[in-house]
Amino acid sequence: MSVWGPATPTGQAASSTGQDAPDAPPEAVFADLFDGSRAMRRRVELRAGQGGLDLLEPDDTRHHWPAGQIHRVPDQAGGRVTVFARDGADPARLVVADGPARLLVERVATRPARAPAGPALKRRAALVVAGGAGFIAALVFAVLPLLAAGLARVMSPEAEAAMGEMQYEQTRVFFGGERGALRECDDPAGLAALQAMTDRVAAGVDLPYPLQVAVLDDRAEPILNAYAVAGGRVAFFDAMIQAAEHPDEIAAVLAHELGHVVNDDPVRGMLQQLSGVAILSLLLGDVTGGGLLSSTATGALSASYSRGAEAEADEFAAAQLRAQGLPPSALGRMFERLRDRYGDATGIVRHFSSHPQLAARIAAAERAGDPDGAPALDPAQWAALRGICR
């Protein structure tokens, strides 16, 4: 049975004789059909058909919309028309004027107003998240390193020194915690010994800025480490000085960090960290700078350089130490002893243990033998350096 039965035309009344008048055909109603493929409106006649709505074009082309698939599009532009659609991927839209045509469609349709069906929300969300994550990963791990390397090559010495000063001060503040910035150790005899070691290790190295080496007082909370930042700055935590058993071990660590300075590794690392953390901070809503401070400070101590950069720094250190009559094997001896004493969990020991190719090169240097030369410091100078923070 049709959902739209016979009806009395508007304005027509029953006969005065009291008997029903013969049924008359309902007035034809029309709407505008857009098929979704062409920007062309087609006038169609609407008829209640078997189980749905029939749309008849002037050339007798008939479209059937099942009643259970018709719904009113909720996003209406207002005015005196209403837009209807079908379920699924059908892009067709039926624009119906208010009045008999709209009443006919709404009577035939059995579905409430809702948006046209589309891909599942979870699937769309997963695609968006996966695409965004892939883009961010490519940006942080592929694009930014290339940009950082290019900028490092063209950065002026003055800009690099200013960047290094900022990072150096941030490390002092960050690792000082509630006690304030870590103090630079300044015992005169210790500073003289440190300068003597620096002059010997860096002899013949041409940098566009002065090499500045400092020792930070970490006695309240020891940090077994050393690091280099942009602009020719190298810092040792006092715990590293105290853990060494021979001045050549500190000289070897200094030569390794000097290799990073010569190869501009701190500059590239700093640029990459700042740009990467800035992007992530914007995405996560951290625009206060706290994330930048933490990442900049901890990044100076992490094994964030590539294996190639570590290999180049170690090769530079070995060559530079040999040229100055110092033993490259001292670096391996110190790392091995620290690993035996403290394990692989902290600081530069973890860095060493995560780079097995570095251990292989150190072992090769030990097999090749060390040059004959005076120690990096004499006993009095070594005692002064160990007391630099006292």
Side-chain angles (χ1 to χ4, degrees):
M1 177 178 179
S2 174
V3 296
W4 182 266
T8 301
T10 303
Q12 181 174 336
S15 67
S16 58
T17 62
Q19 297 182 1
D20 292 339
D23 289 343
E27 295 182 1
V29 293
F30 297 89
D32 294 322
L33 176 65
F34 295 86
D35 62 10
S37 60
R38 296 173 296 174
M40 181 181 298
R41 179 179 62 182
R42 286 141 57 184
R43 196 69 171 169
V44 295
E45 181 182 351
L46 305 181
R47 294 183 184 179
Q50 185 65 34
L53 183 70
D54 290 332
L55 287 62
L56 282 71
E57 296 192 41
D59 60 359
D60 292 333
T61 301
R62 181 184 297 266
H63 308 275
H64 181 73
W65 286 22
Q69 296 183 9
I70 303 172
H71 60 267
R72 182 170 59 87
V73 177
D75 226 3
Q76 302 292 333
R80 297 182 177 181
V81 297
T82 305
V83 181
F84 292 88
R86 294 179 59 188
D87 289 352
D90 189 351
R93 295 294 183 267
L94 186 65
V95 181
V96 181
D98 289 347
R102 176 180 172 183
L103 292 175
L104 171 61
V105 177
E106 290 183 342
R107 187 168 181 178
V108 171
T110 59
R111 302 291 300 276
R114 64 178 182 84
L121 179 59
K122 290 184 178 180
R123 180 171 176 268
R124 282 184 291 172
L127 291 175
V128 171
V129 170
F135 173 78
I136 294 173
L139 181 63
V140 172
F141 296 109
V143 177
L144 293 183
L146 292 176
L147 292 177
L151 289 175
R153 287 194 295 268
V154 301
M155 180 174 289
S156 68
E158 294 78 13
E160 186 176 334
M163 175 187 292
E165 178 70 21
M166 177 190 71
Q167 188 179 20
Y168 175 66
E169 293 302 326
Q170 286 180 335
T171 59
R172 293 177 58 199
V173 171
F174 181 81
F175 290 105
E178 296 180 355
R179 297 180 300 275
L182 290 180
R183 179 179 69 91
E184 283 188 343
C185 300
D186 56 2
D187 176 77
L191 289 177
L194 180 63
Q195 189 61 52
M197 176 181 288
T198 301
D199 291 342
R200 183 171 178 185
V201 170
V205 177
D206 185 20
L207 295 175
Y209 30 65
L211 179 64
Q212 303 178 69
V213 184
V215 178
L216 300 178
D217 187 355
D218 65 334
R219 288 177 293 173
E221 190 175 344
I223 303 171
L224 193 65
N225 224 315
Y227 63 94
V229 297
R233 280 188 171 273
V234 176
F236 286 86
F237 292 100
D238 185 55
M240 175 65 78
I241 306 293
Q242 303 307 316
E245 293 184 356
H246 195 278
D248 289 350
E249 296 173 352
I250 297 300
V253 175
L254 175 57
H256 183 84
E257 297 302 332
L258 180 59
H260 285 307
V261 173
V262 170
N263 295 329
D264 284 331
D265 295 332
V267 183
R268 289 196 299 271
M270 179 72 163
L271 291 172
Q272 185 175 342
Q273 285 172 4
L274 288 177
S275 54
V277 174
I279 291 173
L280 295 178
S281 296
L282 289 175
L283 293 175
L284 298 176
D286 176 15
V287 294
T288 63
L292 287 173
L293 174 61
S294 174
S295 176
T296 300
T298 56
L301 304 184
S302 68
S304 57
Y305 300 132
S306 69
R307 293 189 172 224
E310 291 294 345
E312 291 176 1
D314 186 58
E315 291 169 2
F316 171 88
Q320 185 67 15
L321 290 168
R322 286 184 178 280
Q324 305 309 318
L326 294 170
S329 62
L331 183 63
R333 290 197 302 271
M334 181 174 187
F335 282 164
E336 289 170 359
R337 188 178 61 257
L338 294 178
R339 183 172 57 188
D340 293 340
R341 183 183 302 176
Y342 300 104
D344 294 338
T346 59
I348 204 165
V349 180
R350 179 176 58 187
H351 167 79
F352 169 73
S353 63
S354 66
H355 291 76
Q357 78 281 10
L358 180 59
R361 289 194 300 272
I362 292 173
E366 291 177 342
R367 290 193 298 269
D370 292 327
D372 294 328
L377 297 175
D378 62 34
Q381 291 174 315
W382 176 230
L385 179 59
R386 289 174 61 83
I388 192 173
C389 294
R390 273 64 179 173

